[in-house]
Amino acid sequence: MVEATFLEAYPIALRAAKTQAMAAVSSGIIPASDREDFEQEGVVACLRALPRFDPARASLRTFIERVVAARLASLVRQARRRPETVPVEMLCWLPVECKAARRELRMSIDRVVANLRTDDRELVQLLCDISPAEASRRLGIPSSTLHDRILRLRRRFARAGLDRGDYRAAGGAR
């Protein structure tokens, strides 16, 4: 039963995912470079949801389109919630080619880090090597708590003049 449904569902899922991903790119919700990833996520979500399909409640096409729409909406929400990771060189308006500017930037960063609490210093060190998701797992804290700490650190760096300016409005200084 599930295998037959899969063979029938796959082309519908692929078309629905492609259509909705293209619409998201066209409207500027997602960058064009993410289109194929969104399509794949939509198809995989459909295939995972097939065991829950009930023909008495909806047609297969309607079921698939709803699953794809829900998955892509979830991905968009996740992307918007995730803070943007910026290389340290981008935090400063000075050219990265300039060794003196890099040295000055490094000293400014070191000064801020030296004045952080021990747990925040450890977090900064972790984030230099691993993703926020991995840091959350290693520290054993929820990702929402980790992102709150990252936001607090960003504000700290912003007060030291090491910001790009676009996250200051996210709640002021702490």
Side-chain angles (χ1 to χ4, degrees), residues 88 91 105 108-114 116 120 124 150-163 167-168:
V88 91
L91 294 175
L105 174 60
S108 296
I109 292 170
D110 290 344
R111 188 172 30 257
V112 173
V113 171
L116 295 175
D120 284 340
V124 169
I150 290 171
L151 183 58
R152 187 179 68 234
L153 288 168
R154 285 181 169 180
R155 289 179 184 138
R156 188 80 180 260
F157 280 92
R159 285 194 305 270
L162 299 168
D163 76 328
Y167 49 81
R168 281 189 184 180

Side-chain angles (χ1 to χ4, degrees), residues 20-41:
Q20 291 185 30
M22 270 311 282
V25 169
S26 296
S27 63
I29 294 172
I30 64 169
S33 61
D34 289 348
R35 183 186 50 80
E36 288 180 351
D37 292 337
F38 272 62
E39 290 172 7
Q40 183 177 9
E41 285 284 341

